[in-house]
Amino acid sequence: MTGYLTTHVLDTARGIPAAGLRIALYRIEGEARTYLRHAVTNAGGRTDAPILPEAEFRIGSYELVFHAGAYLDAIGTSCHGTRYR
């Protein structure tokens, strides 16, 4: 079986794609969580290439971690005066 992994991130509060958002990819195997790579969204809220390309794809469990706190800091947004990390 072949496949690949992509994502599309929207900033629904502002009604635009979430550009410049860092995303980390992990593979989950049993209790192990292994970092694979990171990507950053482009102006369209997508990554320029699949986060996990077809040549590296294998069936399993993956986790995408969206660094939303850093994104919100970068655009000058906070919630109730608290900066997210």
Side-chain angles (χ1 to χ4, degrees):
M1 176 175 243
T2 63
Y4 56 91
L5 180 63
T6 65
T7 190
H8 185 199
V9 187
L10 302 174
D11 182 333
T12 58
R14 298 190 306 156
I16 60 173
L21 178 70
R22 182 183 161 101
I23 305 166
L25 172 64
Y26 295 85
R27 178 175 285 125
I28 309 298
E29 296 174 296
E31 297 298 316
R33 181 178 181 249
T34 305
Y35 171 81
L36 299 178
R37 68 177 46 87
H38 77 272
V40 177
T41 57
N42 60 25
R46 300 179 186 275
T47 56
D48 290 330
I51 296 172
L52 186 62
E54 186 174 1
E56 298 175 40
F57 181 84
R58 66 179 201 230
I59 296 173
S61 297
Y62 296 90
E63 177 182 21
L64 291 174
V65 176
F66 298 86
H67 293 259
Y71 170 79
L72 293 171
D73 285 346
I75 64 169
T77 302
S78 64
C79 181
H80 306 292
T82 302
R83 301 295 259 195
Y84 290 99
R85 297 275 178 234

